[in-house]
Amino acid sequence: MVYRHDDGLHDVLFLPPAEPRLPAGAAEEIATTLVDGELGEERRMVAVDVVEVVTAWSDREAAGAVPLRSGALARALERP
């Protein structure tokens, strides 16, 4: 899930599968690595405010959540 703020920064949220359970902090590290791999670390540091791992989607988020596909995050950040 990608949220765009009025200032142009983005929040990127991930909902990993419940299993296998990951050690504390590992999911956040993996999420940040995924974003870096998709955008590059420099672009992430400029365009993304928060990379967050959640345990459940809100009803609003669930309606718009889609599986991550290669190139999807970069395309989402390019949209006006």
Side-chain angles (χ1 to χ4, degrees), residues 13-64:
L13 280 65
F14 289 92
L15 176 64
E19 296 294 329
R21 296 198 61 68
L22 299 170
E28 290 80 8
E29 290 179 27
I30 292 167
T32 300
T33 300
L34 286 169
V35 175
D36 284 353
E38 183 75 15
L39 303 177
E41 180 182 18
E42 185 174 325
R43 184 169 178 208
R44 176 193 44 92
M45 292 175 70
V46 171
V48 177
D49 185 37
V50 173
V51 177
E52 182 178 355
V53 176
V54 298
T55 57
W57 295 128
S58 69
D59 291 341
R60 179 177 171 235
E61 292 166 341

